Amino acid sequence: KWKKIKVKNRSKDELHEMEETFNDMIDYLKENYEMQEIFVSDASHELKTPISIIKSYAQLLARRGKDNPELIHESVEAIGTEADRMQKLVEQLLALAKNKEVLHQEKINLSELLEDTIGVFARAYHREIPFQREKALFVNANRDQLKQVFYILIDNALKYSEEQVDVSIDEIGNNVVVQVIDYGTGIPNSEQERIFERFYRVDKARSRNTGGTGLGLAIANTIITAHGGTLSVTSKLGEGSTFSVILPAFDE
Ligand code: ADP
């Protein structure tokens, strides 16, 4: 973004231009630094909750655990759940950092990749997930990263909707468009932009109960952006949500 410059023998106009560039640089760095600071503070905060729950159960066990099988059972279970949560948080934090770039790219049959991913969910949740496709559509992408995106979107749709979940793939111009549609809770208009931010959750308690971290959509968005695509949502409260992924079609 920035060029290296020499300061000697410069006209007034050039010096003025340099001053502007320099100030832009400072603003940019400051903003990035502040964002990093917020991120570190949010991440620490998210990790603090499971740690304090684990600590209080450990203390409870030490004080009253002896000859109290019910308390032992309850505490071990809670400690296990919170440890799983911390593990997921750490894995997702690493995923955020790792997916800023596209890893090894190849020609991928996206219709087939979706069919496989949907199959995994349909079997795990014992739910039918209709998939609308006409022909095989291809993109240039990293297989694991794309799988992760559709895993996140389908998992969310199933999590936030007891109703039907549909998936479709289509070709629009030079793009491949995938839609994950649910008829569940929906997302208020004012929150639709924010759900792609790290740690942002519309309903914190509900997200926590379903094992959510608020990082899924941020990871999905990072991956799709790195692939030169876009991820967006349209949603109506109480009626459901449609998440759309647009990726450039494979160019022979
Ligand atoms: P989480 O781990 O909480 O699911 P995400 O980043 O995947 O985190 O999603 C952020 C928030 O966006 C969720 O907590 C939820 O409030 C909202 N959300 C995501 N997908 C849906 C959906 N299909 N229907 C309703 N709300 C959703």
Side-chain angles (χ1 to χ4, degrees):
K1 190 174 169 198
W2 298 302
K3 290 180 287 199
K4 284 198 175 160
I5 47 169
K6 284 209 175 75
V7 184
K8 257 189 190 167
N9 307 327
R10 293 286 174 174
S11 71
K12 238 185 167 169
D13 279 353
E14 282 175 315
L15 280 173
H16 184 67
E17 205 180 302
M18 276 160 59
E19 178 188 336
E20 277 188 353
T21 308
F22 187 65
N23 286 334
D24 282 350
M25 272 168 66
I26 291 180
D27 287 344
Y28 176 85
L29 291 173
K30 202 168 148 222
E31 197 180 313
N32 267 277
Y33 182 73
E34 280 165 3
M35 267 160 49
Q36 281 296 328
E37 270 189 335
I38 292 171
F39 175 59
V40 170
S41 133
D42 286 349
S44 319
H45 182 80
E46 294 291 331
L47 283 165
K48 259 187 189 162
T49 313
I51 290 173
S52 54
I53 297 177
I54 289 175
K55 272 176 84 172
S56 50
Y57 272 104
Q59 280 163 1
L60 201 60
L61 274 179
R63 262 191 289 129
R64 296 203 275 121
K66 209 164 162 262
D67 308 322
N68 191 343
E70 221 166 276
L71 181 67
I72 295 178
H73 179 75
E74 186 196 328
S75 311
V76 168
E77 195 138 291
I79 289 174
T81 306
E82 296 307 313
D84 285 347
R85 185 174 174 74
M86 280 176 67
Q87 187 175 10
K88 185 168 175 192
L89 260 165
V90 172
E91 278 167 9
Q92 293 206 312
L93 286 170
L94 287 173
L96 258 183
K98 199 179 82 181
N99 287 300
K100 291 221 161 73
E101 286 166 29
V102 183
L103 306 172
H104 168 72
Q105 288 203 9
E106 55 183 326
K107 181 180 178 183
I108 286 178
N109 182 339
L110 190 54
S111 314
E112 203 176 272
L113 183 143
L114 279 167
E115 185 104 57
D116 293 346
T117 312
I118 291 168
V120 170
F121 277 101
R123 283 190 294 278
Y125 284 75
H126 304 289
R127 277 171 73 163
E128 206 175 308
I129 304 172
F131 180 36
Q132 211 178 313
R133 58 179 277 193
E134 275 180 13
K135 56 175 182 169
L137 293 172
F138 297 88
V139 291
N140 191 20
N142 178 274
R143 183 176 297 279
D144 291 335
Q145 289 180 307
L146 279 195
K147 266 194 193 163
Q148 199 169 355
V149 169
F150 295 110
Y151 186 94
I152 290 164
L153 296 181
I154 298 171
D155 189 47
N156 275 349
L158 293 168
K159 237 168 32 182
Y160 297 107
S161 160
E162 257 105 68
E163 316 294 324
Q164 187 174 320
V165 170
D166 294 331
V167 182
S168 70
I169 182 166
D170 214 341
E171 195 177 25
I172 298 180
N174 293 327
N175 292 315
V176 176
V177 182
V178 178
Q179 294 197 309
V180 179
I181 306 156
D182 72 66
Y183 303 91
T185 51
I187 303 155
N189 266 334
S190 55
E191 319 251 4
Q192 287 173 17
E193 288 270 310
R194 303 209 60 193
I195 55 171
F196 298 101
E197 291 172 17
R198 300 174 293 202
F199 301 115
Y200 194 82
R201 283 160 281 186
V202 177
D203 179 347
K204 263 204 169 211
R206 179 171 179 156
S207 162
R208 192 170 206 286
N209 287 339
T210 50
T213 57
L215 289 173
L217 287 176
I219 296 171
N221 196 30
T222 306
I223 294 176
I224 294 302
T225 307
H227 279 81
T230 56
L231 170 62
S232 60
V233 65
T234 56
S235 182
K236 216 164 171 199
L237 206 56
E239 289 185 15
S241 314
T242 298
F243 283 85
S244 306
V245 173
I246 303 179
L247 285 167
F250 185 83
D251 197 5
E252 294 289 345

